[in-house]
Amino acid sequence: MDMRYEAYCLIDPDFYDTPARAKGQSDNFELSLCPAPDGWVRSDLDNWVVLTPDGVDLPPQGWKIHVSACLDDARDTLTAVWDYCVPRRIAFKFLPSEDSLLLANAKYAPRESSGKFVTIYPVDEAQLATVLHELGSVLAGRPGPYVLSDLRWGSGPLYVRYGGFAMRTCVSPDGELVPAIEDAAGRLVPDVRGPAFRVPDWVTLPAFLEPHLAARNSTTVAGLPYRIESALHFSNGGGLYTGQDTRTGQRVVLKEARPYAGLTLDGADAVTRQRREREALERLRGLDCVPALLDHFVLGEHHFLVEEFVEGPTLNSMFVDRCPLVLPEAEDMDTEAYTSWALDTLDEVERAVDAVHGRGLIVGDLHADNMLVRPDGRVVLIDFEGAADVTDRQDQRLAAPGFVVPSGLSGVDIDRYALACLRFFLFLPLTGLFPLDSGKARHFADDIARTFPVPPGFFDDAVRMIAGEGTGAPAGSVAQAWPEPDHQGWTRTRASMTAAIQAAATPDRDDRLFPGDVEQFATPGGGLAFAHGAAGVLYALDAVGAGCHPDHEEWLVRHALRPEPGIRLGFYDGLHGIAYALDHLGHRDVAMKVLDMALGEQWQQLGPDLYGGLAGIGLNLQHFAAATGDPALRDAAFSVADILADRLGPADGAAEDAADDAYPYAGLLRGATGPALMFLRLHEDTGDPEFLALADRALRQDLRRCIVREGGAMEVDEGWRTLPYLGVGSAGIGLVLDDYLAHREDTPFHKSAAAAIRKATTARFFIQPGLFQGMAGMILCLSRPHPPGTAAQRDPVVAEHIRRLSRHALTYRGHFAFPGDQLMRLSTDLATGSAGVLLAVGSALHDRPVRLPFLAPSDRRNGPHGHMPPSPQGQEGGELP
C-alpha cells in the first residue's frame, strides 16, 4: 500500500488532488495572506509561499537553513522568522497553513523533507553563521520535529543542509531527471535529499558546524541491552526493527517513535501514539492474542517500545499466498479448502478482538496487515496506536485503506465495522471501494457466494454494517447495469464512460485538465502527460471513436506550447508523448513545435526505458520521421538506438551484470522490453538483422528477471512479489515477445515464455482495474491477436475479464467511472483510470483497431511486419457512428 495517497484524498471526495489546493482555507497563517513587504517579491512555488528581496542575488546553491515547528506554535515561529528576515533582506519561503504543515509531517510523508516549515537562504557562509546564532537565540527552546536530512543547530528548531537554491536538473545514474547542484568541476550532479545528513564530497563543512556534527554523532546504540538485527519498516514517525535481548537471547521487536513527527489527522505525533500503545499493552498484559510488552526507553530523544517477537506471517501475506482467485482460468480452484481456512481464521480474529473488548479497549486499527498468524493458527493482534477505551465516543484515530470506518461510528462499532470489512477482504479484497460506494457490499456478497461455499447469510450482518439497514434491494446496482461484452454493450459503455470523463474535466485549472493519479502532481507538467494527463486521455477517447473534443484539445495545445519549467522529456511522462498525442489529434504544426522543445534539451543521458527514457523518445522520433520524411529525425532515432545498444553491452554472458546496472527494472515501461520494442520497429523499417538480434538480447534481459509460478504462469520477480501486469510485469513483455516471434518462429525458449506469460494474463482477479497495473491491461493484451471487435466473442477469458470489471465499476454523475491506483479515489487518466479501461475494452469490442502507441495489433496477414492499415482518417480511431 502506497501511503502517499492519503494526503491526496483530503481535498476532493471523488478524485485525487494536490494538498496545495488547500491554500486559502480558514487555517491559513495570517502572514501567508499578507502582500509582500515593500521592496520584496512574493511568489507561490508548489505548496510554498516564497519571499525574495529585490536586488539580492542568491547563489544557485549553498547552505540553507530549515526551521521546524509544531502545529500549536507555528504561527509564532513564522512571525519570529518574518520579523528577523524581512528587515535584514534575507530570502525565505514557508508553508502557508496548519494543514500543509500537518501533511508535511504526516506519518507517511516523505522522510527526507519532513519537518521543514520555513527555508532560509543565506547568501554566503558568513550570513549563515550570523542567522544561526541570532535567529537560533530567538527561537531557542521551541519544539519541532527533527529534520532527518539536515544537521541540527544546538537543541533548537534550526537545521542546515547544503543544496540547491535555483531550480536545476540533471539525469541521475538510474536515468531519472532529478534536482541538481554543481560539483567542483562545474558538472551538474544529483542534489541528494535522503533521510540522513550528508555533505557533498567537494564541500567543506564550515568550522562553526563541526561541534554540532560531533554532537549528532555522539548518540549511538552502544550500551543498549538490545542488538538490532534488521529494519522491517520505516515511516516518518520512526522505524520498526527486529533484534535480540543480549542478556537473555530472546528475539524482540523494537518500535521507534520520533517526537513531533509522524502526525495523524488528529494532530497526534508518533510519541503520543506510542504512549497509547504502551498503555494498551499494559492493560492487555497476559492475553495470548497480543504481543507481550517487555520494555520502554528513550535514546537521543527517540522513544522505543520493546515487544515480544511473534513468529508467523501477517494475515495479509497468508491471504496472498492462499487465495485461489489469482489462479489462471484454466485451473480448478480448491474453494472448499480455502473457505474452510478463511472461516476458521475469521473465528480466531473475532475471538481475539472479543478478548480485547473484554479488557475495556477497542483495537481501533484492525486490518489484515495488523494481524500475525502463529504456526498453530492462533491470531495475534499488533499495532495498538489507535487503541481507545470502549467508552470513548471519538471517531476512528487510525485506519488503513480498505478498513476506514465512516464518520459517526465509535467505540466497539469501530472494530465491528473493520471485522465486517475483513470478512469480505479474505474472499474479495476490494473493500477500499466501500467509502466510494457502500452498495458494493451487497454486490460483493453475491459475487463471493457464487464462487466460494460460504454458509447462507454469511455476509448479511456485514452488509448491514457497511451499507446500512434496508440495503437488500440494490444488490450492486452499478454491477447490474454494467453492459455485456458485445456490440450493443460496447456502445453503451463507451458513451457512459466518455460522459463521465468529460464531466470530470476542469478546463479552468492550469495544472491538469482531467483528474488522475497523484503522479500528476509529482513533476512539473504531469497533468499534460500521456500516462496521467490530458494527452493520454484525449488519445484514448479518439482511439475508441468517442468523438472530437475541440475545447479540451485547445487546452492541451495552449499548455503544451507554454510548459512549466522542469517538465519531463519522455514519452509517457513528458513532451514526447504530448507531441505524439497532438499529432494523432491532427495538430501537426503544434506537435512539431513541442518536439523541437524536447530535442533542444539534454536527453541523451536519460534512462533506457519506454516510460520516460530513450526507448520512448526513439520510437517517437521514428514515428515523426516516417510522418514528416525528415532525415534528421530518422538520424536522431538511429543515434538513440546506438546508445541503447551500448548500454546492453557485448553479446556474451559476462555482460549480464553491466546490463543489470543499465536496466534495473523489468517490463514494458521500465525495463529492457521498451528498448526491445524500439529495436523491433527499426528492424521492420530497415530489414537490418542486427536490430532483431538486439531485440532478442533485450528481451532475454527481462525474461531473466521472470519466474514461472506454480501452475505455469510467468511473472516478473521482484524478490518479495511477482507481477503479471502490462506496464511493470510480464504481460507487457509478452506483447513485444509476440512481435519478436512474428520474425523468429524458430525460437522454442521465447515460445514457451510467451505461452507462460499468456497464462499470467488469465487469472480470475486483479486488485486494480487500470491499464498499466490491473485488469484492463490484461484485456488489451489478450485482445491483440484478434481482428477488431471480435476478441470477446473469440476468447471467453476476454469476455469474463470485461464482465469482471463490474466489480470495480462506480459512477460519477450517473455515468460509469473507475477508481485509480490504491482504489481510494476515481481516476480518468490512461495509466490508472477510466481512459485506460475504455481503451482496453475498446481493444476488444471496437470495430476498428485500438492500440497503445507503437504496439499495433499483431496481424501478419497485413504484411511481413504485422502493420495494420490506417483508418480512413489516417488514425486508429474515428467518429461516433
Side-chain angles (χ1 to χ4, degrees):
M1 184 63 67
D2 189 338
M3 302 308 296
R4 294 178 306 156
Y5 283 74
E6 286 188 322
Y8 292 85
C9 293
L10 300 176
I11 305 300
D12 188 318
D14 297 312
F15 298 102
Y16 295 120
D17 209 343
T18 173
R21 297 282 292 180
K23 287 183 180 179
Q25 302 295 325
S26 58
D27 75 327
N28 271 38
F29 303 123
E30 292 79 4
L31 288 174
S32 72
L33 306 175
C34 290
D38 291 341
W40 286 70
V41 176
R42 175 195 163 121
S43 60
D44 292 331
L45 178 66
D46 298 327
N47 199 30
W48 296 87
V49 176
V50 184
L51 286 170
T52 308
D54 284 335
V56 174
D57 293 326
L58 290 176
Q61 63 195 54
W63 290 96
K64 59 180 74 174
I65 301 171
H66 291 116
V67 185
S68 71
C70 296
L71 294 176
D72 55 4
D73 72 343
R75 278 181 166 80
D76 292 340
T77 296
L78 178 58
T79 299
V81 174
W82 181 293
D83 290 345
Y84 179 84
C85 289
V86 169
R88 293 166 179 81
R89 300 181 59 75
I90 302 171
F92 65 104
K93 69 178 182 181
F94 61 91
L95 294 173
S97 66
E98 286 187 9
D99 276 351
S100 58
L101 180 58
L102 186 150
L103 292 173
N105 292 319
K107 183 175 181 181
Y108 289 101
R111 298 171 69 226
E112 63 272 14
S113 60
S114 173
K116 300 172 184 178
F117 172 43
V118 183
T119 305
I120 301 171
Y121 299 95
V123 294
D124 54 31
E125 289 187 7
Q127 190 173 69
L128 170 72
T130 299
V131 174
L132 288 173
H133 283 97
E134 294 180 350
L135 186 59
S137 297
V138 172
L139 299 178
R142 293 178 186 263
Y146 198 104
V147 180
L148 294 173
S149 63
D150 289 24
L151 176 63
R152 189 178 192 178
W153 176 259
S155 59
L158 300 186
Y159 298 80
V160 297
R161 184 182 82 85
Y162 188 93
F165 289 11
M167 177 60 183
R168 297 187 290 179
T169 59
C170 71
V171 179
S172 70
D174 59 1
E176 298 289 333
L177 203 63
V178 296
I181 54 177
E182 196 173 295
D183 68 9
R187 299 168 301 192
L188 288 179
V189 297
D191 184 3
V192 179
R193 305 178 185 189
F197 176 67
R198 65 179 292 274
V199 182
D201 295 340
W202 66 92
V203 175
T204 301
L205 186 75
F208 58 84
L209 293 178
E210 290 177 359
H212 303 273
L213 180 61
R216 174 187 178 276
N217 294 337
S218 65
T219 300
T220 70
V221 296
L224 287 179
Y226 305 102
R227 182 174 62 252
I228 295 177
E229 296 173 341
S230 64
L232 298 175
H233 171 71
F234 285 107
S235 76
N236 193 28
L240 180 67
Y241 311 90
T242 61
Q244 186 180 63
D245 188 324
T246 57
R247 298 162 297 186
T248 64
Q250 180 182 6
R251 292 196 72 189
V252 297
V253 169
L254 295 95
K255 302 186 70 172
E256 175 191 24
R258 298 174 54 224
Y260 316 117
L263 304 181
T264 45
L265 293 181
D266 61 357
D269 69 351
V271 172
T272 299
R273 295 196 306 277
Q274 189 188 85
R275 175 181 51 77
R276 290 175 186 164
E277 177 162 20
R278 178 159 52 99
E279 292 172 351
L281 291 178
E282 287 172 345
R283 195 162 163 179
L284 299 172
R285 193 180 295 278
L287 294 180
D288 68 354
C289 60
V290 300
L293 176 64
L294 303 175
D295 194 5
H296 169 252
F297 63 89
V298 180
L299 177 68
E301 301 183 18
H302 292 205
H303 293 239
F304 288 84
L305 277 188
V306 184
E307 299 177 9
E308 165 199 8
F309 178 88
V310 177
E311 191 72 45
T314 65
L315 178 56
N316 186 48
S317 64
M318 290 192 74
F319 160 76
V320 171
D321 289 340
R322 289 171 175 256
C323 182
L325 282 179
V326 300
L327 296 174
E329 291 278 3
E331 296 186 24
D332 293 330
M333 292 194 296
D334 190 352
T335 55
E336 187 171 336
Y338 177 80
T339 301
S340 176
W341 171 82
L343 296 180
D344 289 346
T345 301
L346 286 167
D347 286 344
E348 284 289 327
V349 172
E350 290 175 359
R351 278 195 289 270
V353 173
D354 286 344
V356 173
H357 292 175
R359 295 285 181 97
L361 286 175
I362 63 166
V363 181
D365 186 22
L366 277 171
H367 58 88
D369 268 322
N370 273 358
M371 303 171 188
L372 300 176
V373 183
R374 296 186 191 268
D376 62 4
R378 288 178 298 148
V379 169
V380 178
L381 307 176
I382 61 173
D383 200 349
F384 283 82
E385 291 183 0
D389 194 274
V390 293
T391 62
D392 193 314
R393 297 294 96 188
Q394 292 184 350
D395 288 346
Q396 188 177 29
R397 290 169 166 171
L398 286 173
F403 296 84
V404 178
V405 173
S407 179
L409 292 184
S410 62
V412 295
D413 284 342
I414 291 175
D415 286 350
R416 287 173 180 156
Y417 185 94
L419 287 172
C421 290
L422 185 67
R423 185 164 286 213
F424 283 100
F425 182 90
L426 287 186
F427 294 96
L428 192 64
L430 296 177
T431 54
L433 298 178
F434 290 159
L436 298 175
D437 180 3
S438 61
K440 284 288 183 184
R442 171 51 59 195
H443 170 203
F444 292 168
D446 295 341
D447 191 342
I448 293 166
R450 287 191 293 268
T451 306
F452 295 93
V454 293
F458 178 71
F459 288 104
D460 288 352
D461 289 343
V463 170
R464 280 190 288 271
M465 173 60 74
I466 292 165
E469 296 293 335
T471 59
S477 56
V478 175
Q480 290 181 339
W482 181 248
E484 277 294 298
D486 53 27
H487 177 74
Q488 183 179 3
W490 164 238
T491 303
R492 289 177 52 209
T493 300
R494 178 176 60 183
S496 182
M497 292 181 67
T498 299
I501 290 170
Q502 295 295 106
T506 55
D508 56 310
R509 289 177 59 161
D510 289 322
D511 58 342
R512 57 110 158 119
L513 174 61
F514 297 106
D517 191 74
V518 303
E519 290 295 329
Q520 287 187 326
F521 310 108
T523 59
L528 281 66
F530 210 92
H532 301 295
V537 175
L538 292 173
Y539 171 86
L541 292 173
D542 185 77
V544 301
C548 294
H549 308 281
D551 291 347
H552 294 155
E553 290 179 25
E554 190 278 330
W555 186 97
L556 180 60
V557 167
R558 178 162 36 92
H559 288 80
L561 289 173
R562 293 183 294 275
E564 291 182 63
I567 190 170
R568 297 297 191 255
L569 307 178
F571 189 85
Y572 279 102
D573 67 350
L575 291 176
H576 274 274
I578 295 167
Y580 181 96
L582 288 168
D583 188 56
H584 178 89
L585 295 167
H587 302 281
R588 172 68 57 80
D589 290 345
V590 179
M592 294 305 298
K593 291 178 181 177
V594 175
L595 185 66
D596 286 343
M597 289 184 211
L599 292 175
E601 300 292 334
Q602 295 297 314
W603 50 266
Q604 290 84 354
Q605 298 303 313
L606 289 171
D609 59 275
L610 176 63
Y611 186 86
L614 293 175
I617 290 173
L619 284 161
N620 198 44
L621 289 171
Q622 291 178 59
H623 162 78
F624 277 100
T628 65
D630 186 341
L633 294 177
R634 184 177 173 83
D635 290 344
F638 283 124
S639 72
V640 172
D642 289 340
I643 297 171
L644 292 175
D646 287 342
R647 295 191 189 179
L648 274 176
D652 56 51
E656 288 185 355
D657 290 342
D660 284 345
D661 291 339
Y663 298 91
Y665 307 103
L668 176 65
L669 295 183
R670 305 286 188 180
T673 298
L677 178 62
M678 182 185 174
F679 292 136
L680 273 177
R681 297 297 172 249
L682 283 172
H683 169 71
E684 292 166 354
D685 287 344
T686 66
D688 186 342
E690 177 61 22
F691 287 125
L692 191 60
L694 287 167
D696 175 75
R697 286 167 51 200
L699 284 168
R700 287 178 184 272
Q701 170 66 18
D702 271 4
L703 290 172
R704 286 196 306 109
R705 291 208 168 119
C706 293
I707 187 172
V708 178
R709 298 186 56 178
E710 185 177 353
M714 177 178 280
E715 300 182 0
V716 170
D717 182 12
E718 291 197 332
W720 61 284
R721 62 177 180 176
T722 62
L723 300 177
Y725 303 119
L726 169 63
V728 295
S730 57
I733 301 172
L735 283 183
V736 181
L737 191 56
D738 286 344
D739 283 2
Y740 174 84
L741 288 171
H743 301 283
R744 289 285 306 276
E745 294 182 342
D746 59 339
T747 313
F749 166 70
H750 290 104
K751 280 187 174 181
S752 63
I757 288 172
R758 187 192 187 280
K759 183 168 282 192
T761 66
T762 66
R764 297 170 172 87
F765 176 77
F766 298 95
I767 191 73
Q768 297 180 148
L771 185 64
F772 287 167
Q773 295 191 66
M775 178 75 82
M778 305 308 172
I779 294 170
L780 185 142
C781 291
L782 291 169
S783 299
R784 192 166 178 252
H786 303 290
T790 68
Q793 178 184 356
R794 290 168 174 246
D795 188 341
V797 176
V798 173
E800 278 306 302
H801 277 1
I802 294 174
R803 290 188 184 100
R804 289 184 183 122
L805 284 172
S806 67
R807 293 168 172 167
H808 294 92
L810 300 165
T811 59
Y812 180 70
R813 299 188 181 177
H815 302 289
F816 290 127
F818 283 85
D821 278 2
Q822 310 300 311
L823 307 182
M824 299 167 72
R825 291 291 185 271
L826 300 175
S827 168
T828 66
D829 70 29
L830 180 80
T832 71
S834 294
V837 174
L838 183 63
L839 188 83
V841 176
S843 73
L845 300 176
H846 191 40
D847 57 7
R848 292 181 181 175
V850 174
R851 64 174 177 88
L852 280 173
F854 321 123
L855 284 165
S858 180
D859 186 347
R860 300 185 70 199
R861 295 170 300 174
N862 291 302
H865 308 309
H867 290 168
M868 298 297 293
S871 67
Q873 291 80 18
Q875 298 175 354
E876 289 71 33
E879 299 302 314
L880 283 168

